[in-house]
Amino acid sequence: MKKGAIIGIVIAVLAVAITISGYFIFSKDDLESAIIEFEDGDFQEAIIRLNRLARTADYETGEKIYYYRCKAINGLATRLEDKYADELTEIARESKNTEDFRETKKDIEERLAGINKKIEGDLTLVPAMKKSRIVPRGSFYDEFAARYRGSSLIEDLQFEGIQNMGKTDPEKLVPAMINFYTKYPNTDYLSSMVRILFDGLQNGSLTATGNEEILWEMICAYVKRYPTSPETGKLHTCVGENVNMRNSPGVDGKLVGKITKDEILLQLEKSMDTSQVGDVRDYWYRVASLKGPRGWIFGKFLKPVDLSLIKESTPEEEKWTMDEQFAEWGDSHTPVNWIHVPGSNKEGINFSMKGSKKIAEINSTRGSATGLFSRYNATRAFSIMARARFTGGEAVTIFAFVPGSEAFYVRLTPNHVEVSGRTIPFATTDWHDYTLTSEDGRYARLIIDGENVSSRIEPVKSTDFITHGVYCLYSSKDENSKSEMEFIKAR
């Protein structure tokens, strides 16, 4: 047999073998490549790769594949909306009777049909009043939910659906939010939900009429969890009976409604100057009612929501099994219940006083590692929260958790947060609450000040964090670090 024929047969056999066992040969690398493409914004290529992998993946790997398909098609829809922003404005529903509307609509639909053919997707054009939208119909999500009914990732995807609904079907948003909150009362997306609600009340796209009780329950849960948040400071109650709401600040403003006593109001803005009304001098406040009306009310009739009443009417908070406030120190470099990382520089850890509190500090230089360690053990489901800020140097790991052979960590640099290798732009020099939480120990979610900023975080192999437990205020021997921590909690 000729040499060329033999080579052809070998290539053909290998092609068949790769086709049959492609999952075993290429699955891991291809999946990692697809995730990298997704994170880099190459959504179309990521979906094409994920579609191919989904055909041969086992059940556990498939969960990850189907999840990223959902995330990628949502990202692709947003990318296309940005790309065709002018065209989508041109085909707003308010101009639907024009020839330009019909021609541009046809052009966009043809482009989407071509993209859908490549990705086996269901992107569609949804005409809206000011600017039309491009959204997926939901087949990727339906496939995921049908196959992985008990997946902890469904909550993440459902919340993403709520975010999209706010742009496409605002009239359905409040019922969707209520259903979501009822299903996930302890959701980490509570902060985001309240912000969506407040934004809708502010711009007039939402009304809570008929749903005030459950939405107020959701707001109360948020206020209890984040009592110092900006949103909490905007909540007021009306202290007068049938108070006039006007279309502009001042008694000359046109009457647009009446507000009843004890009605909950959201402050939208405040007048530049005070006014004298009767014997009272105060600001005018532009407010929104949960029932929908928006307008200006004289400050005399507003009272900040009494947080103590909310706290009394809500269940007791879940206890933390570790609640380190750094109140007790064995010496000036070692908090009680902590040890220094073996071989590290003890003098790099100190504390300062902030009122009556002791603030733990790291001030390390190159040449030796610095850090604290506690042999804390948690179940596969865990939450770790620390209040900290970056104050100088190159980088600092504010905490790391090692539940098994790999580690989750949160690391700060001057302008970024790095979580287990994933980098997020963020101003770290201010005080923030950083929470890393996981329901199964396989994947975690990073929450900053109540806002979910990154999901589906996997642990990584580390030469710095290898012993089971919690590390905090850690700096390697190759970097200098300055940071402060008010507390660290775990459960």
Side-chain angles (χ1 to χ4, degrees):
M1 186 177 293
K2 293 183 179 180
K3 184 178 179 180
I6 294 174
I7 292 174
I9 293 171
V10 171
I11 292 173
V13 171
L14 286 174
V16 173
I18 290 171
T19 301
I20 295 173
S21 59
Y23 167 72
F24 298 101
I25 295 174
F26 293 116
S27 174
K28 183 177 180 181
D29 290 341
D30 278 4
L31 181 53
E32 290 175 355
S33 297
I35 293 172
I36 291 171
E37 287 173 335
F38 165 77
E39 292 178 343
D40 288 345
D42 298 330
F43 302 119
Q44 186 166 311
E45 295 304 315
I47 295 170
I48 292 171
R49 192 185 297 267
L50 291 166
N51 285 340
R52 178 171 57 80
L53 293 172
R55 298 186 183 102
T56 54
D58 60 28
Y59 185 83
E60 184 173 339
T61 307
E63 181 182 17
K64 198 171 188 178
I65 292 169
Y66 280 80
Y67 169 79
Y68 272 107
R69 281 206 318 163
C70 295
K71 299 285 284 186
I73 199 168
N74 288 336
L76 179 57
T78 301
R79 175 69 54 79
L80 292 171
E81 285 188 341
D82 293 339
K83 182 177 181 180
Y84 300 128
D86 293 341
E87 292 93 332
L88 293 173
T89 301
E90 190 173 312
I91 54 175
R93 206 162 52 191
E94 56 191 22
S95 58
K96 65 180 180 179
N97 294 322
T98 66
E99 184 63 28
D100 286 343
F101 176 93
R102 288 187 288 271
E103 290 182 359
T104 306
K105 179 174 180 290
K106 181 181 178 182
D107 181 52
I108 293 291
E109 288 176 337
E110 288 176 351
R111 296 184 199 183
L112 292 180
I115 294 171
N116 283 331
K117 185 175 181 180
K118 291 180 181 178
I119 67 171
E120 303 172 45
D122 60 354
L123 293 170
T124 188
L125 177 68
V126 178
M129 285 305 297
K130 298 296 182 182
K131 181 180 178 181
S132 292
R133 301 292 319 283
I134 295 173
V135 297
R137 290 185 181 274
S139 63
F140 282 8
Y141 172 79
D142 291 342
E143 289 178 31
F144 178 88
R147 185 170 181 178
Y148 300 99
R149 291 184 182 277
S151 174
S152 61
L153 300 173
I154 288 180
E155 179 184 350
D156 181 59
L157 295 176
Q158 286 182 346
F159 176 72
E160 195 165 272
I162 285 176
Q163 290 178 304
N164 289 330
M165 186 176 294
K167 302 172 184 177
T168 56
D169 298 303
E171 65 278 4
K172 299 179 182 178
L173 184 56
V174 168
M177 290 172 66
I178 291 172
N179 289 336
F180 184 87
Y181 177 69
T182 302
K183 187 174 182 180
Y184 306 108
N186 298 314
T187 179
D188 291 326
Y189 291 111
L190 180 62
S191 176
S192 299
M193 294 265 287
V194 169
R195 289 190 178 103
I196 290 172
L197 175 62
F198 282 11
D199 287 346
L201 291 173
Q202 182 164 354
N203 62 35
S205 63
L206 295 182
T207 175
T209 302
N211 299 297
E212 296 94 334
E213 187 174 341
I214 182 65
L215 289 176
W216 178 237
E217 179 186 322
M218 184 177 78
I219 293 171
C220 287
Y222 169 81
V223 167
K224 181 184 174 185
R225 196 181 297 183
Y226 309 108
T228 60
S229 71
E231 285 75 20
T232 297
K234 296 177 181 178
L235 291 169
H236 299 268
T237 54
C238 180
V239 296
E241 291 285 1
N242 295 320
V243 175
N244 292 331
M245 177 182 280
R246 302 182 182 275
N247 69 347
S248 61
V251 294
D252 295 330
K254 182 181 178 181
L255 190 66
V256 294
K258 295 277 189 178
I259 301 299
T260 59
K261 188 175 182 180
D262 298 327
E263 190 168 339
I264 302 299
L265 300 169
L266 170 65
Q267 178 186 327
L268 305 180
E269 57 183 299
K270 184 172 73 172
S271 62
M272 294 291 292
D273 302 306
T274 59
S275 300
Q276 187 78 29
V277 178
D279 58 352
V280 176
R281 189 168 192 84
D282 206 334
Y283 291 94
W284 284 81
Y285 293 84
R286 184 168 174 261
V287 298
S289 164
L290 285 180
K291 296 178 180 178
R294 292 175 297 154
W296 292 86
I297 286 183
F298 190 52
K300 169 185 176 180
F301 301 106
L302 292 178
K303 176 184 176 183
V305 165
D306 190 341
L307 301 185
S308 65
L309 296 178
I310 293 176
K311 291 177 181 178
E312 290 172 6
S313 64
T314 51
E316 184 180 354
E317 291 185 22
E318 183 178 352
K319 300 295 183 182
W320 295 89
T321 50
M322 172 200 284
D323 190 352
E324 179 59 78
Q325 304 288 332
F326 299 109
E328 298 181 54
W329 292 65
D331 58 48
S332 58
H333 304 295
T334 315
V336 172
N337 301 320
W338 294 81
I339 62 173
H340 291 270
V341 173
S344 66
N345 174 28
K346 290 180 60 176
E347 285 71 24
I349 300 292
N350 298 280
F351 67 83
S352 62
M353 299 302 297
K354 180 183 177 182
S356 61
K357 291 183 176 181
K358 292 180 179 178
I359 304 298
E361 299 176 337
I362 181 172
N363 187 356
S364 69
T365 57
R366 290 175 179 270
S368 63
T370 301
L372 298 171
F373 173 75
S374 173
R375 293 187 180 279
Y376 174 82
N377 290 313
T379 61
R380 295 182 66 185
F382 68 86
S383 289
I384 298 177
M385 173 191 288
R387 181 168 177 78
R389 67 172 178 169
F390 183 85
T391 56
E394 297 164 329
V396 62
T397 300
I398 54 172
F399 67 80
F401 177 50
V402 185
S405 61
E406 297 179 310
F408 294 97
Y409 68 82
V410 177
R411 174 181 166 89
L412 307 184
T413 65
N415 299 302
H416 295 87
V417 177
E418 181 185 332
V419 51
S420 298
R422 189 177 299 180
T423 301
I424 303 159
F426 194 75
T428 60
T429 53
D430 296 326
W431 285 101
H432 296 288
D433 290 347
Y434 299 90
T435 304
L436 200 63
T437 182
S438 174
E439 296 178 358
D440 54 15
R442 295 187 300 153
Y443 308 108
R445 175 183 300 160
L446 177 65
I447 301 162
I448 303 179
D449 298 333
E451 187 77 21
N452 188 85
V453 296
S454 187
S455 300
R456 196 70 180 184
I457 301 163
E458 297 182 85
V460 295
K461 288 286 186 183
S462 171
T463 56
D464 293 319
F465 314 118
I466 55 176
T467 305
H468 291 211
V470 173
Y471 297 75
C472 76
L473 295 176
Y474 176 83
S475 175
S476 75
K477 65 180 181 179
D478 298 321
E479 58 194 4
N480 58 73
S481 308
K482 293 183 68 177
S483 185
E484 297 177 336
M485 180 176 289
E486 186 174 314
F487 64 76
I488 181 169
K489 305 177 182 181
R491 61 176 175 231

